[in-house]
Amino acid sequence: QKEVEQDPGPLSVPEGAIVSLNCTYSNSAFQYFMWYRQYSRKGPELLMYTYSSGNKEDGRFTAQVDKSSKYISLFIRDSQPSDSATYLCAMSVVRGAQKLVFGQGTRLTINP
Amino acid sequence: NAGVTQTPKFQVLKTGQSMTLQCAQDMNHEYMSWYRQDPGMGLRLIHYSVGAGITDQGEVPNGYNVSRSTTEDFPLRLLSAAPSQTSVYFCATCLTGIRTIGSPLHFGNGTRLTVT
């Protein structure tokens, strides 16, 4: 069993819908949680960063961490076609981005 | 400011051949790493380095060698390529120490390797 599990999708939704992406993990030592976005044929780019449990909002994006359930989520409001990409959750025991453990990635398509 | 530069972008090898994937960064990041990305497996850490002269193994190091003689460069060597090493390889870098809070992992655009 992988340390971080993520439904690979693919997920296809209409423009304007609310999107929910999720990951579960097994290592209770993970403290730092991130979401990366990867466009086709590009390297991943950091989208959201959270430390420990709670919510963090940035524009149309909200990241949520529930350490008691070992579950993290990313919500996208008012989704746009430009949000079409693969979304990867990532987490780390140590502070920062070293030795990140990634989920499998969810491929998301927003249909106009 | 180029960020993280990976060469080549594409490569086809025959089983048993060797090659080196190049990674160069101009952000003065101490930490450099190599990941491979395979369908259904996500990104898996191969090797990493926290500074010149220091390297360590990640989750899937077998079949790969690395060295770090300078801050800027972190080449990945395949000594005898196997079909199982067909993948997309990403080099990624970041800051270390107290400056890492909120600091992202910066990725190159990948090297697509096929081993036949």
Side-chain angles (χ1 to χ4, degrees), chain B residues 14-17 78 80-86 113 115-116:
Chain B
K14 294 188 188 307
T15 298
Q17 286 184 317
L78 284 70
S80 179
S84 61
Q85 294 178 304
T86 293
L113 176 68
V115 183
T116 62

Side-chain angles (χ1 to χ4, degrees), chain A:
Chain A
Q1 185 185 359
K2 286 178 67 69
E3 275 190 294
V4 180
E5 295 281 355
Q6 183 177 6
D7 186 342
L11 182 61
S12 181
V13 302
E15 183 176 354
I18 296 175
V19 177
S20 172
L21 304 168
N22 311 295
C23 289
T24 60
Y25 62 94
S26 57
N27 187 351
S28 58
F30 285 138
Q31 297 283 346
Y32 301 89
F33 304 93
M34 284 144 268
W35 286 94
Y36 280 77
R37 179 172 61 193
Q38 184 178 21
Y39 291 113
S40 181
R41 305 232 169 230
K42 296 290 188 181
E45 295 176 312
L46 181 67
L47 191 61
M48 298 283 287
Y49 178 105
T50 56
Y51 168 65
S52 199
S53 285
N55 292 358
K56 184 175 182 179
E57 191 171 316
D58 184 1
R60 298 184 293 110
F61 299 90
T62 299
Q64 197 171 76
V65 173
D66 182 349
K67 289 193 70 182
S68 62
S69 302
K70 297 191 180 69
Y71 189 86
I72 70 170
S73 300
L74 177 72
F75 299 96
I76 307 174
R77 292 182 299 279
D78 187 24
S79 55
Q80 305 294 312
S82 58
D83 295 328
S84 297
T86 296
Y87 289 80
L88 301 115
C89 63
M91 41 199 85
S92 175
V93 172
V94 298
R95 181 172 59 192
Q98 298 177 57
K99 297 182 69 176
L100 284 183
V101 180
F102 284 85
Q104 294 96 317
T106 299
R107 190 170 174 184
L108 172 67
T109 301
I110 309 297
N111 301 302

Side-chain angles (χ1 to χ4, degrees), chain B residues 5-18:
Chain B
T5 302
Q6 289 185 240
T7 55
K9 289 185 172 58
F10 302 93
Q11 184 71 49
V12 179
L13 289 178
K14 294 188 188 307
T15 298
Q17 286 184 317
S18 63

